[in-house]
Amino acid sequence: MSKVKFSPKKLIVAMSLAAVLPMTAVAEAATADVEKLQQQIMELQQALEQIKAAQQKTDAKVANVEKTAVTTGKGGAITIGDTSVKIGGYIKGDLLYTTNGVNGKNGLLAAAHVKGADSNKDDRVDLSARESRFFIKTATPVAGKTLKTHLEADFYGTTDSELAANGHGLRLRHAYGSWGNVLVGQTWSTFMDLYALGELTAFGQHASALFVRQAQVRYTQPYDGGSLMFALENPEDGGDDQSTPDLIARANFDGQWGHASVGMLAREVVDGDDKEWSTAYSLSARFPTVGRDDLRMQFNYGELGRYMGLVTYPDVNGSTTGLEGFNSWGASLAYRHFWNSQLRSNVMFSRTEADDNPYGTVPDSSQSFHANLIWSPSPKLQYGIEYANWQVDSSGTEKELDTVQLSARYLF
């Protein structure tokens, strides 16, 4: 039997191989696991990129929907994208009793209508809903400012026969847009101070009311305690074509003490080749008194023409050798009293006079008195009864008219 010879060197080599071989296997297995993990990470990254891309598409779709989505806003307005839209108006029905044969079917009375009063004619009763109206208002943020528009119409357009249909055409009241300090379009004349108008159910207001709507370009500059207004407005003297717009400026003063305003009008009147500038002025105020009560007053003077009393006086004076405006004045005083939160009354006196009147058909003076009782059981409902007395003096001939008006107004 041969003898096996022990070699320490061979033993060391064998033991090293025994240790390395398992480690190599482990390393190979670990490398495979790392590669697999890297593959999974790449797949996960790809999945995340796909999810991100899908989310971006969804966000874009949502943003596009939001631009055209219709939502409900404050005050009954709806919002379409960035634009707030409000649709409103009211339905108004009037029953008007007039004396001395004056036609009150339109619910519109002024000195010109009172001149037709005849004590030999019967009294009349007329019913109308022509004052009903609707409007569309919008507001859109544009370049850091709000772009506003207002479109409004009533039914004082062309009149159909009352025998059957009682149709009445639409009439444009307001159509304007404003952005920042500038307003362009048709609305109340800047020569009017809406705060001075009485709260009357009579559509034509009172004898000395400034009552004109027309196209214009207006600039308003607010300041602490009021605003300044400057406007170029549609020129009209009832005759020749005008080449110069009416120029109007107004200063408003507001505070806890109330409201006051000063207005000035300058316009060119034309008669053939003759042209002449005429001017007029208006002072108005509204003051709070006791509780919710208020006092309103106005004084107008100058060559007012068509601007006062629904064309009570002409624009030019025909008694002079040269072209000259027709001078007149008008004043009003009104008091509003709240009996309670739902019931209130208004009393108003108004008068006008001509300085120099060469026309036999033009009133030397006119005056009106109104007294009403208004019940509002809800902000959307209003019922009223109003008494009015009108007196017009033309060349010594006095005409008088009494009216009683019942009205119901439903806002929407």
mmCIF file with all atom_site columns, all heavy atoms in Angstrom, residues 86 89-91 199 292 341-344 374-383 408-412:
data_model
loop_
_atom_site.group_PDB
_atom_site.id
_atom_site.type_symbol
_atom_site.label_atom_id
_atom_site.label_alt_id
_atom_site.label_comp_id
_atom_site.label_asym_id
_atom_site.label_entity_id
_atom_site.label_seq_id
_atom_site.pdbx_PDB_ins_code
_atom_site.Cartn_x
_atom_site.Cartn_y
_atom_site.Cartn_z
_atom_site.occupancy
_atom_site.B_iso_or_equiv
_atom_site.pdbx_formal_charge
_atom_site.auth_seq_id
_atom_site.auth_comp_id
_atom_site.auth_asym_id
_atom_site.auth_atom_id
_atom_site.pdbx_PDB_model_num
ATOM 1   N N   . LYS A 1 86  ? -75.334 88.596  -16.386 1.00 0.00 ? 86  LYS A N   1
ATOM 2   C CA  . LYS A 1 86  ? -76.557 88.757  -15.614 1.00 0.00 ? 86  LYS A CA  1
ATOM 3   C C   . LYS A 1 86  ? -77.688 89.175  -16.534 1.00 0.00 ? 86  LYS A C   1
ATOM 4   O O   . LYS A 1 86  ? -77.566 90.132  -17.302 1.00 0.00 ? 86  LYS A O   1
ATOM 5   C CB  . LYS A 1 86  ? -76.389 89.800  -14.508 1.00 0.00 ? 86  LYS A CB  1
ATOM 6   C CG  . LYS A 1 86  ? -77.624 89.936  -13.614 1.00 0.00 ? 86  LYS A CG  1
ATOM 7   C CD  . LYS A 1 86  ? -77.381 90.879  -12.449 1.00 0.00 ? 86  LYS A CD  1
ATOM 8   C CE  . LYS A 1 86  ? -78.622 90.953  -11.556 1.00 0.00 ? 86  LYS A CE  1
ATOM 9   N NZ  . LYS A 1 86  ? -78.417 91.863  -10.401 1.00 0.00 ? 86  LYS A NZ  1
ATOM 10  N N   . GLY A 1 89  ? -84.469 92.388  -15.402 1.00 0.00 ? 89  GLY A N   1
ATOM 11  C CA  . GLY A 1 89  ? -85.458 93.337  -15.883 1.00 0.00 ? 89  GLY A CA  1
ATOM 12  C C   . GLY A 1 89  ? -86.689 93.290  -15.004 1.00 0.00 ? 89  GLY A C   1
ATOM 13  O O   . GLY A 1 89  ? -86.645 92.835  -13.856 1.00 0.00 ? 89  GLY A O   1
ATOM 14  N N   . TYR A 1 90  ? -87.805 93.741  -15.545 1.00 0.00 ? 90  TYR A N   1
ATOM 15  C CA  . TYR A 1 90  ? -89.057 93.628  -14.801 1.00 0.00 ? 90  TYR A CA  1
ATOM 16  C C   . TYR A 1 90  ? -90.256 93.686  -15.744 1.00 0.00 ? 90  TYR A C   1
ATOM 17  O O   . TYR A 1 90  ? -90.173 94.195  -16.868 1.00 0.00 ? 90  TYR A O   1
ATOM 18  C CB  . TYR A 1 90  ? -89.173 94.695  -13.706 1.00 0.00 ? 90  TYR A CB  1
ATOM 19  C CG  . TYR A 1 90  ? -89.159 96.146  -14.166 1.00 0.00 ? 90  TYR A CG  1
ATOM 20  C CD1 . TYR A 1 90  ? -90.278 96.741  -14.761 1.00 0.00 ? 90  TYR A CD1 1
ATOM 21  C CD2 . TYR A 1 90  ? -88.042 96.949  -13.944 1.00 0.00 ? 90  TYR A CD2 1
ATOM 22  C CE1 . TYR A 1 90  ? -90.280 98.075  -15.129 1.00 0.00 ? 90  TYR A CE1 1
ATOM 23  C CE2 . TYR A 1 90  ? -88.027 98.281  -14.308 1.00 0.00 ? 90  TYR A CE2 1
ATOM 24  C CZ  . TYR A 1 90  ? -89.147 98.849  -14.899 1.00 0.00 ? 90  TYR A CZ  1
ATOM 25  O OH  . TYR A 1 90  ? -89.140 100.170 -15.273 1.00 0.00 ? 90  TYR A OH  1
ATOM 26  N N   . ILE A 1 91  ? -91.352 93.134  -15.250 1.00 0.00 ? 91  ILE A N   1
ATOM 27  C CA  . ILE A 1 91  ? -92.654 93.258  -15.907 1.00 0.00 ? 91  ILE A CA  1
ATOM 28  C C   . ILE A 1 91  ? -93.435 94.300  -15.123 1.00 0.00 ? 91  ILE A C   1
ATOM 29  O O   . ILE A 1 91  ? -93.575 94.196  -13.906 1.00 0.00 ? 91  ILE A O   1
ATOM 30  C CB  . ILE A 1 91  ? -93.416 91.920  -15.913 1.00 0.00 ? 91  ILE A CB  1
ATOM 31  C CG1 . ILE A 1 91  ? -92.577 90.824  -16.558 1.00 0.00 ? 91  ILE A CG1 1
ATOM 32  C CG2 . ILE A 1 91  ? -94.761 92.079  -16.602 1.00 0.00 ? 91  ILE A CG2 1
ATOM 33  C CD1 . ILE A 1 91  ? -92.227 91.081  -18.001 1.00 0.00 ? 91  ILE A CD1 1
ATOM 34  N N   . GLU A 1 199 ? -88.508 109.100 -6.792  1.00 0.00 ? 199 GLU A N   1
ATOM 35  C CA  . GLU A 1 199 ? -88.977 107.714 -6.904  1.00 0.00 ? 199 GLU A CA  1
ATOM 36  C C   . GLU A 1 199 ? -90.471 107.749 -7.218  1.00 0.00 ? 199 GLU A C   1
ATOM 37  O O   . GLU A 1 199 ? -91.321 107.638 -6.345  1.00 0.00 ? 199 GLU A O   1
ATOM 38  C CB  . GLU A 1 199 ? -88.711 106.938 -5.614  1.00 0.00 ? 199 GLU A CB  1
ATOM 39  C CG  . GLU A 1 199 ? -89.008 105.454 -5.775  1.00 0.00 ? 199 GLU A CG  1
ATOM 40  C CD  . GLU A 1 199 ? -88.892 104.680 -4.476  1.00 0.00 ? 199 GLU A CD  1
ATOM 41  O OE1 . GLU A 1 199 ? -88.970 105.303 -3.401  1.00 0.00 ? 199 GLU A OE1 1
ATOM 42  O OE2 . GLU A 1 199 ? -88.729 103.444 -4.540  1.00 0.00 ? 199 GLU A OE2 1
ATOM 43  N N   . ARG A 1 292 ? -84.232 106.053 7.235   1.00 0.00 ? 292 ARG A N   1
ATOM 44  C CA  . ARG A 1 292 ? -83.924 105.799 5.825   1.00 0.00 ? 292 ARG A CA  1
ATOM 45  C C   . ARG A 1 292 ? -84.468 106.887 4.903   1.00 0.00 ? 292 ARG A C   1
ATOM 46  O O   . ARG A 1 292 ? -84.320 106.812 3.687   1.00 0.00 ? 292 ARG A O   1
ATOM 47  C CB  . ARG A 1 292 ? -84.496 104.433 5.407   1.00 0.00 ? 292 ARG A CB  1
ATOM 48  C CG  . ARG A 1 292 ? -83.907 103.247 6.169   1.00 0.00 ? 292 ARG A CG  1
ATOM 49  C CD  . ARG A 1 292 ? -84.620 101.954 5.809   1.00 0.00 ? 292 ARG A CD  1
ATOM 50  N NE  . ARG A 1 292 ? -84.484 101.619 4.397   1.00 0.00 ? 292 ARG A NE  1
ATOM 51  C CZ  . ARG A 1 292 ? -85.145 100.632 3.786   1.00 0.00 ? 292 ARG A CZ  1
ATOM 52  N NH1 . ARG A 1 292 ? -85.981 99.883  4.486   1.00 0.00 ? 292 ARG A NH1 1
ATOM 53  N NH2 . ARG A 1 292 ? -84.954 100.384 2.510   1.00 0.00 ? 292 ARG A NH2 1
ATOM 54  N N   . SER A 1 341 ? -90.237 98.846  6.831   1.00 0.00 ? 341 SER A N   1
ATOM 55  C CA  . SER A 1 341 ? -89.299 98.241  5.888   1.00 0.00 ? 341 SER A CA  1
ATOM 56  C C   . SER A 1 341 ? -89.930 97.912  4.536   1.00 0.00 ? 341 SER A C   1
ATOM 57  O O   . SER A 1 341 ? -89.221 97.736  3.543   1.00 0.00 ? 341 SER A O   1
ATOM 58  C CB  . SER A 1 341 ? -88.696 96.963  6.490   1.00 0.00 ? 341 SER A CB  1
ATOM 59  O OG  . SER A 1 341 ? -89.727 96.014  6.764   1.00 0.00 ? 341 SER A OG  1
ATOM 60  N N   . GLN A 1 342 ? -91.258 97.838  4.471   1.00 0.00 ? 342 GLN A N   1
ATOM 61  C CA  . GLN A 1 342 ? -91.936 97.465  3.225   1.00 0.00 ? 342 GLN A CA  1
ATOM 62  C C   . GLN A 1 342 ? -92.748 98.595  2.607   1.00 0.00 ? 342 GLN A C   1
ATOM 63  O O   . GLN A 1 342 ? -93.087 98.521  1.424   1.00 0.00 ? 342 GLN A O   1
ATOM 64  C CB  . GLN A 1 342 ? -92.860 96.265  3.468   1.00 0.00 ? 342 GLN A CB  1
ATOM 65  C CG  . GLN A 1 342 ? -92.144 95.004  3.909   1.00 0.00 ? 342 GLN A CG  1
ATOM 66  C CD  . GLN A 1 342 ? -93.097 93.839  4.072   1.00 0.00 ? 342 GLN A CD  1
ATOM 67  O OE1 . GLN A 1 342 ? -94.324 93.992  4.014   1.00 0.00 ? 342 GLN A OE1 1
ATOM 68  N NE2 . GLN A 1 342 ? -92.555 92.642  4.267   1.00 0.00 ? 342 GLN A NE2 1
ATOM 69  N N   . LEU A 1 343 ? -93.056 99.624  3.383   1.00 0.00 ? 343 LEU A N   1
ATOM 70  C CA  . LEU A 1 343 ? -93.977 100.673 2.927   1.00 0.00 ? 343 LEU A CA  1
ATOM 71  C C   . LEU A 1 343 ? -93.277 102.033 2.953   1.00 0.00 ? 343 LEU A C   1
ATOM 72  O O   . LEU A 1 343 ? -92.650 102.408 3.946   1.00 0.00 ? 343 LEU A O   1
ATOM 73  C CB  . LEU A 1 343 ? -95.202 100.694 3.837   1.00 0.00 ? 343 LEU A CB  1
ATOM 74  C CG  . LEU A 1 343 ? -96.474 101.360 3.307   1.00 0.00 ? 343 LEU A CG  1
ATOM 75  C CD1 . LEU A 1 343 ? -96.984 100.617 2.078   1.00 0.00 ? 343 LEU A CD1 1
ATOM 76  C CD2 . LEU A 1 343 ? -97.535 101.400 4.413   1.00 0.00 ? 343 LEU A CD2 1
ATOM 77  N N   . ARG A 1 344 ? -93.373 102.768 1.849   1.00 0.00 ? 344 ARG A N   1
ATOM 78  C CA  . ARG A 1 344 ? -92.766 104.090 1.769   1.00 0.00 ? 344 ARG A CA  1
ATOM 79  C C   . ARG A 1 344 ? -93.619 105.024 0.920   1.00 0.00 ? 344 ARG A C   1
ATOM 80  O O   . ARG A 1 344 ? -94.452 104.571 0.115   1.00 0.00 ? 344 ARG A O   1
ATOM 81  C CB  . ARG A 1 344 ? -91.358 103.997 1.190   1.00 0.00 ? 344 ARG A CB  1
ATOM 82  C CG  . ARG A 1 344 ? -91.296 103.443 -0.231  1.00 0.00 ? 344 ARG A CG  1
ATOM 83  C CD  . ARG A 1 344 ? -89.855 103.154 -0.621  1.00 0.00 ? 344 ARG A CD  1
ATOM 84  N NE  . ARG A 1 344 ? -89.719 102.664 -1.989  1.00 0.00 ? 344 ARG A NE  1
ATOM 85  C CZ  . ARG A 1 344 ? -89.860 101.376 -2.336  1.00 0.00 ? 344 ARG A CZ  1
ATOM 86  N NH1 . ARG A 1 344 ? -90.150 100.456 -1.427  1.00 0.00 ? 344 ARG A NH1 1
ATOM 87  N NH2 . ARG A 1 344 ? -89.709 101.013 -3.600  1.00 0.00 ? 344 ARG A NH2 1
ATOM 88  N N   . ILE A 1 374 ? -95.928 103.301 -1.917  1.00 0.00 ? 374 ILE A N   1
ATOM 89  C CA  . ILE A 1 374 ? -95.336 102.132 -2.567  1.00 0.00 ? 374 ILE A CA  1
ATOM 90  C C   . ILE A 1 374 ? -95.153 101.026 -1.532  1.00 0.00 ? 374 ILE A C   1
ATOM 91  O O   . ILE A 1 374 ? -94.580 101.248 -0.455  1.00 0.00 ? 374 ILE A O   1
ATOM 92  C CB  . ILE A 1 374 ? -93.978 102.481 -3.206  1.00 0.00 ? 374 ILE A CB  1
ATOM 93  C CG1 . ILE A 1 374 ? -94.169 103.567 -4.273  1.00 0.00 ? 374 ILE A CG1 1
ATOM 94  C CG2 . ILE A 1 374 ? -93.333 101.248 -3.824  1.00 0.00 ? 374 ILE A CG2 1
ATOM 95  C CD1 . ILE A 1 374 ? -92.863 104.089 -4.854  1.00 0.00 ? 374 ILE A CD1 1
ATOM 96  N N   . TRP A 1 375 ? -95.627 99.859  -1.882  1.00 0.00 ? 375 TRP A N   1
ATOM 97  C CA  . TRP A 1 375 ? -95.514 98.685  -0.998  1.00 0.00 ? 375 TRP A CA  1
ATOM 98  C C   . TRP A 1 375 ? -94.623 97.651  -1.673  1.00 0.00 ? 375 TRP A C   1
ATOM 99  O O   . TRP A 1 375 ? -94.890 97.232  -2.795  1.00 0.00 ? 375 TRP A O   1
ATOM 100 C CB  . TRP A 1 375 ? -96.886 98.094  -0.712  1.00 0.00 ? 375 TRP A CB  1
ATOM 101 C CG  . TRP A 1 375 ? -96.858 96.842  0.128   1.00 0.00 ? 375 TRP A CG  1
ATOM 102 C CD1 . TRP A 1 375 ? -96.156 96.634  1.278   1.00 0.00 ? 375 TRP A CD1 1
ATOM 103 C CD2 . TRP A 1 375 ? -97.569 95.623  -0.126  1.00 0.00 ? 375 TRP A CD2 1
ATOM 104 N NE1 . TRP A 1 375 ? -96.378 95.372  1.764   1.00 0.00 ? 375 TRP A NE1 1
ATOM 105 C CE2 . TRP A 1 375 ? -97.249 94.714  0.915   1.00 0.00 ? 375 TRP A CE2 1
ATOM 106 C CE3 . TRP A 1 375 ? -98.443 95.200  -1.130  1.00 0.00 ? 375 TRP A CE3 1
ATOM 107 C CZ2 . TRP A 1 375 ? -97.764 93.427  0.986   1.00 0.00 ? 375 TRP A CZ2 1
ATOM 108 C CZ3 . TRP A 1 375 ? -98.973 93.915  -1.067  1.00 0.00 ? 375 TRP A CZ3 1
ATOM 109 C CH2 . TRP A 1 375 ? -98.627 93.045  -0.011  1.00 0.00 ? 375 TRP A CH2 1
ATOM 110 N N   . SER A 1 376 ? -93.569 97.244  -0.975  1.00 0.00 ? 376 SER A N   1
ATOM 111 C CA  . SER A 1 376 ? -92.645 96.229  -1.486  1.00 0.00 ? 376 SER A CA  1
ATOM 112 C C   . SER A 1 376 ? -92.565 95.079  -0.493  1.00 0.00 ? 376 SER A C   1
ATOM 113 O O   . SER A 1 376 ? -91.706 95.075  0.396   1.00 0.00 ? 376 SER A O   1
ATOM 114 C CB  . SER A 1 376 ? -91.247 96.822  -1.715  1.00 0.00 ? 376 SER A CB  1
ATOM 115 O OG  . SER A 1 376 ? -91.270 97.836  -2.693  1.00 0.00 ? 376 SER A OG  1
ATOM 116 N N   . PRO A 1 377 ? -93.462 94.088  -0.612  1.00 0.00 ? 377 PRO A N   1
ATOM 117 C CA  . PRO A 1 377 ? -93.413 92.954  0.312   1.00 0.00 ? 377 PRO A CA  1
ATOM 118 C C   . PRO A 1 377 ? -92.158 92.110  0.148   1.00 0.00 ? 377 PRO A C   1
ATOM 119 O O   . PRO A 1 377 ? -91.807 91.323  1.013   1.00 0.00 ? 377 PRO A O   1
ATOM 120 C CB  . PRO A 1 377 ? -94.666 92.156  -0.051  1.00 0.00 ? 377 PRO A CB  1
ATOM 121 C CG  . PRO A 1 377 ? -94.958 92.528  -1.469  1.00 0.00 ? 377 PRO A CG  1
ATOM 122 C CD  . PRO A 1 377 ? -94.537 93.957  -1.604  1.00 0.00 ? 377 PRO A CD  1
ATOM 123 N N   . SER A 1 378 ? -91.481 92.277  -0.996  1.00 0.00 ? 378 SER A N   1
ATOM 124 C CA  . SER A 1 378 ? -90.244 91.574  -1.302  1.00 0.00 ? 378 SER A CA  1
ATOM 125 C C   . SER A 1 378 ? -89.427 92.463  -2.226  1.00 0.00 ? 378 SER A C   1
ATOM 126 O O   . SER A 1 378 ? -89.997 93.299  -2.948  1.00 0.00 ? 378 SER A O   1
ATOM 127 C CB  . SER A 1 378 ? -90.543 90.229  -1.979  1.00 0.00 ? 378 SER A CB  1
ATOM 128 O OG  . SER A 1 378 ? -89.397 89.731  -2.643  1.00 0.00 ? 378 SER A OG  1
ATOM 129 N N   . PRO A 1 379 ? -88.093 92.339  -2.216  1.00 0.00 ? 379 PRO A N   1
ATOM 130 C CA  . PRO A 1 379 ? -87.291 93.135  -3.149  1.00 0.00 ? 379 PRO A CA  1
ATOM 131 C C   . PRO A 1 379 ? -87.672 92.919  -4.610  1.00 0.00 ? 379 PRO A C   1
ATOM 132 O O   . PRO A 1 379 ? -87.386 93.768  -5.450  1.00 0.00 ? 379 PRO A O   1
ATOM 133 C CB  . PRO A 1 379 ? -85.860 92.648  -2.876  1.00 0.00 ? 379 PRO A CB  1
ATOM 134 C CG  . PRO A 1 379 ? -85.883 92.166  -1.467  1.00 0.00 ? 379 PRO A CG  1
ATOM 135 C CD  . PRO A 1 379 ? -87.237 91.539  -1.293  1.00 0.00 ? 379 PRO A CD  1
ATOM 136 N N   . LYS A 1 380 ? -88.320 91.795  -4.908  1.00 0.00 ? 380 LYS A N   1
ATOM 137 C CA  . LYS A 1 380 ? -88.713 91.488  -6.282  1.00 0.00 ? 380 LYS A CA  1
ATOM 138 C C   . LYS A 1 380 ? -90.129 91.949  -6.623  1.00 0.00 ? 380 LYS A C   1
ATOM 139 O O   . LYS A 1 380 ? -90.551 91.838  -7.773  1.00 0.00 ? 380 LYS A O   1
ATOM 140 C CB  . LYS A 1 380 ? -88.610 89.979  -6.530  1.00 0.00 ? 380 LYS A CB  1
ATOM 141 C CG  . LYS A 1 380 ? -87.200 89.413  -6.433  1.00 0.00 ? 380 LYS A CG  1
ATOM 142 C CD  . LYS A 1 380 ? -86.325 89.839  -7.590  1.00 0.00 ? 380 LYS A CD  1
ATOM 143 C CE  . LYS A 1 380 ? -84.978 89.130  -7.584  1.00 0.00 ? 380 LYS A CE  1
ATOM 144 N NZ  . LYS A 1 380 ? -84.128 89.537  -8.725  1.00 0.00 ? 380 LYS A NZ  1
ATOM 145 N N   . LEU A 1 381 ? -90.868 92.450  -5.644  1.00 0.00 ? 381 LEU A N   1
ATOM 146 C CA  . LEU A 1 381 ? -92.258 92.845  -5.854  1.00 0.00 ? 381 LEU A CA  1
ATOM 147 C C   . LEU A 1 381 ? -92.459 94.297  -5.452  1.00 0.00 ? 381 LEU A C   1
ATOM 148 O O   . LEU A 1 381 ? -91.921 94.746  -4.439  1.00 0.00 ? 381 LEU A O   1
ATOM 149 C CB  . LEU A 1 381 ? -93.199 91.962  -5.031  1.00 0.00 ? 381 LEU A CB  1
ATOM 150 C CG  . LEU A 1 381 ? -93.225 90.469  -5.337  1.00 0.00 ? 381 LEU A CG  1
ATOM 151 C CD1 . LEU A 1 381 ? -94.101 89.755  -4.324  1.00 0.00 ? 381 LEU A CD1 1
ATOM 152 C CD2 . LEU A 1 381 ? -93.747 90.234  -6.747  1.00 0.00 ? 381 LEU A CD2 1
ATOM 153 N N   . GLN A 1 382 ? -93.252 95.026  -6.243  1.00 0.00 ? 382 GLN A N   1
ATOM 154 C CA  . GLN A 1 382 ? -93.561 96.412  -5.891  1.00 0.00 ? 382 GLN A CA  1
ATOM 155 C C   . GLN A 1 382 ? -94.949 96.773  -6.421  1.00 0.00 ? 382 GLN A C   1
ATOM 156 O O   . GLN A 1 382 ? -95.244 96.600  -7.603  1.00 0.00 ? 382 GLN A O   1
ATOM 157 C CB  . GLN A 1 382 ? -92.517 97.361  -6.479  1.00 0.00 ? 382 GLN A CB  1
ATOM 158 C CG  . GLN A 1 382 ? -92.800 98.830  -6.195  1.00 0.00 ? 382 GLN A CG  1
ATOM 159 C CD  . GLN A 1 382 ? -91.712 99.734  -6.701  1.00 0.00 ? 382 GLN A CD  1
ATOM 160 O OE1 . GLN A 1 382 ? -90.566 99.653  -6.284  1.00 0.00 ? 382 GLN A OE1 1
ATOM 161 N NE2 . GLN A 1 382 ? -92.055 100.612 -7.629  1.00 0.00 ? 382 GLN A NE2 1
ATOM 162 N N   . TYR A 1 383 ? -95.777 97.294  -5.534  1.00 0.00 ? 383 TYR A N   1
ATOM 163 C CA  . TYR A 1 383 ? -97.112 97.770  -5.891  1.00 0.00 ? 383 TYR A CA  1
ATOM 164 C C   . TYR A 1 383 ? -97.212 99.228  -5.471  1.00 0.00 ? 383 TYR A C   1
ATOM 165 O O   . TYR A 1 383 ? -96.713 99.612  -4.399  1.00 0.00 ? 383 TYR A O   1
ATOM 166 C CB  . TYR A 1 383 ? -98.195 96.950  -5.191  1.00 0.00 ? 383 TYR A CB  1
ATOM 167 C CG  . TYR A 1 383 ? -98.147 95.473  -5.510  1.00 0.00 ? 383 TYR A CG  1
ATOM 168 C CD1 . TYR A 1 383 ? -97.482 94.589  -4.668  1.00 0.00 ? 383 TYR A CD1 1
ATOM 169 C CD2 . TYR A 1 383 ? -98.762 94.971  -6.656  1.00 0.00 ? 383 TYR A CD2 1
ATOM 170 C CE1 . TYR A 1 383 ? -97.431 93.225  -4.962  1.00 0.00 ? 383 TYR A CE1 1
ATOM 171 C CE2 . TYR A 1 383 ? -98.712 93.617  -6.957  1.00 0.00 ? 383 TYR A CE2 1
ATOM 172 C CZ  . TYR A 1 383 ? -98.046 92.752  -6.107  1.00 0.00 ? 383 TYR A CZ  1
ATOM 173 O OH  . TYR A 1 383 ? -97.988 91.413  -6.402  1.00 0.00 ? 383 TYR A OH  1
ATOM 174 N N   . ALA A 1 408 ? -98.012 97.768  -10.838 1.00 0.00 ? 408 ALA A N   1
ATOM 175 C CA  . ALA A 1 408 ? -97.434 96.537  -10.261 1.00 0.00 ? 408 ALA A CA  1
ATOM 176 C C   . ALA A 1 408 ? -96.179 96.216  -11.033 1.00 0.00 ? 408 ALA A C   1
ATOM 177 O O   . ALA A 1 408 ? -96.182 96.221  -12.272 1.00 0.00 ? 408 ALA A O   1
ATOM 178 C CB  . ALA A 1 408 ? -98.427 95.377  -10.348 1.00 0.00 ? 408 ALA A CB  1
ATOM 179 N N   . ARG A 1 409 ? -95.102 95.940  -10.285 1.00 0.00 ? 409 ARG A N   1
ATOM 180 C CA  . ARG A 1 409 ? -93.822 95.660  -10.935 1.00 0.00 ? 409 ARG A CA  1
ATOM 181 C C   . ARG A 1 409 ? -93.228 94.387  -10.364 1.00 0.00 ? 409 ARG A C   1
ATOM 182 O O   . ARG A 1 409 ? -93.124 94.229  -9.147  1.00 0.00 ? 409 ARG A O   1
ATOM 183 C CB  . ARG A 1 409 ? -92.842 96.827  -10.728 1.00 0.00 ? 409 ARG A CB  1
ATOM 184 C CG  . ARG A 1 409 ? -91.579 96.707  -11.572 1.00 0.00 ? 409 ARG A CG  1
ATOM 185 C CD  . ARG A 1 409 ? -90.756 97.960  -11.517 1.00 0.00 ? 409 ARG A CD  1
ATOM 186 N NE  . ARG A 1 409 ? -90.113 98.172  -10.241 1.00 0.00 ? 409 ARG A NE  1
ATOM 187 C CZ  . ARG A 1 409 ? -89.241 99.162  -10.008 1.00 0.00 ? 409 ARG A CZ  1
ATOM 188 N NH1 . ARG A 1 409 ? -88.969 100.035 -10.957 1.00 0.00 ? 409 ARG A NH1 1
ATOM 189 N NH2 . ARG A 1 409 ? -88.684 99.277  -8.820  1.00 0.00 ? 409 ARG A NH2 1
ATOM 190 N N   . TYR A 1 410 ? -92.838 93.475  -11.266 1.00 0.00 ? 410 TYR A N   1
ATOM 191 C CA  . TYR A 1 410 ? -92.283 92.184  -10.882 1.00 0.00 ? 410 TYR A CA  1
ATOM 192 C C   . TYR A 1 410 ? -90.884 92.054  -11.475 1.00 0.00 ? 410 TYR A C   1
ATOM 193 O O   . TYR A 1 410 ? -90.721 91.954  -12.694 1.00 0.00 ? 410 TYR A O   1
ATOM 194 C CB  . TYR A 1 410 ? -93.185 91.049  -11.364 1.00 0.00 ? 410 TYR A CB  1
ATOM 195 C CG  . TYR A 1 410 ? -94.633 91.220  -10.958 1.00 0.00 ? 410 TYR A CG  1
ATOM 196 C CD1 . TYR A 1 410 ? -95.570 91.757  -11.845 1.00 0.00 ? 410 TYR A CD1 1
ATOM 197 C CD2 . TYR A 1 410 ? -95.065 90.842  -9.691  1.00 0.00 ? 410 TYR A CD2 1
ATOM 198 C CE1 . TYR A 1 410 ? -96.898 91.925  -11.464 1.00 0.00 ? 410 TYR A CE1 1
ATOM 199 C CE2 . TYR A 1 410 ? -96.387 90.994  -9.300  1.00 0.00 ? 410 TYR A CE2 1
ATOM 200 C CZ  . TYR A 1 410 ? -97.299 91.547  -10.198 1.00 0.00 ? 410 TYR A CZ  1
ATOM 201 O OH  . TYR A 1 410 ? -98.621 91.710  -9.806  1.00 0.00 ? 410 TYR A OH  1
ATOM 202 N N   . LEU A 1 411 ? -89.891 92.041  -10.629 1.00 0.00 ? 411 LEU A N   1
ATOM 203 C CA  . LEU A 1 411 ? -88.512 91.987  -11.095 1.00 0.00 ? 411 LEU A CA  1
ATOM 204 C C   . LEU A 1 411 ? -88.041 90.550  -11.305 1.00 0.00 ? 411 LEU A C   1
ATOM 205 O O   . LEU A 1 411 ? -88.491 89.637  -10.606 1.00 0.00 ? 411 LEU A O   1
ATOM 206 C CB  . LEU A 1 411 ? -87.582 92.678  -10.093 1.00 0.00 ? 411 LEU A CB  1
ATOM 207 C CG  . LEU A 1 411 ? -87.569 94.208  -10.079 1.00 0.00 ? 411 LEU A CG  1
ATOM 208 C CD1 . LEU A 1 411 ? -88.815 94.747  -9.399  1.00 0.00 ? 411 LEU A CD1 1
ATOM 209 C CD2 . LEU A 1 411 ? -86.324 94.733  -9.379  1.00 0.00 ? 411 LEU A CD2 1
ATOM 210 N N   . PHE A 1 412 ? -87.164 90.368  -12.259 1.00 0.00 ? 412 PHE A N   1
ATOM 211 C CA  . PHE A 1 412 ? -86.547 89.061  -12.486 1.00 0.00 ? 412 PHE A CA  1
ATOM 212 C C   . PHE A 1 412 ? -85.074 89.223  -12.778 1.00 0.00 ? 412 PHE A C   1
ATOM 213 O O   . PHE A 1 412 ? -84.589 90.338  -13.001 1.00 0.00 ? 412 PHE A O   1
ATOM 214 C CB  . PHE A 1 412 ? -87.248 88.317  -13.626 1.00 0.00 ? 412 PHE A CB  1
ATOM 215 C CG  . PHE A 1 412 ? -87.201 89.027  -14.953 1.00 0.00 ? 412 PHE A CG  1
ATOM 216 C CD1 . PHE A 1 412 ? -86.132 88.853  -15.829 1.00 0.00 ? 412 PHE A CD1 1
ATOM 217 C CD2 . PHE A 1 412 ? -88.234 89.890  -15.330 1.00 0.00 ? 412 PHE A CD2 1
ATOM 218 C CE1 . PHE A 1 412 ? -86.099 89.497  -17.057 1.00 0.00 ? 412 PHE A CE1 1
ATOM 219 C CE2 . PHE A 1 412 ? -88.201 90.536  -16.563 1.00 0.00 ? 412 PHE A CE2 1
ATOM 220 C CZ  . PHE A 1 412 ? -87.138 90.341  -17.421 1.00 0.00 ? 412 PHE A CZ  1
#
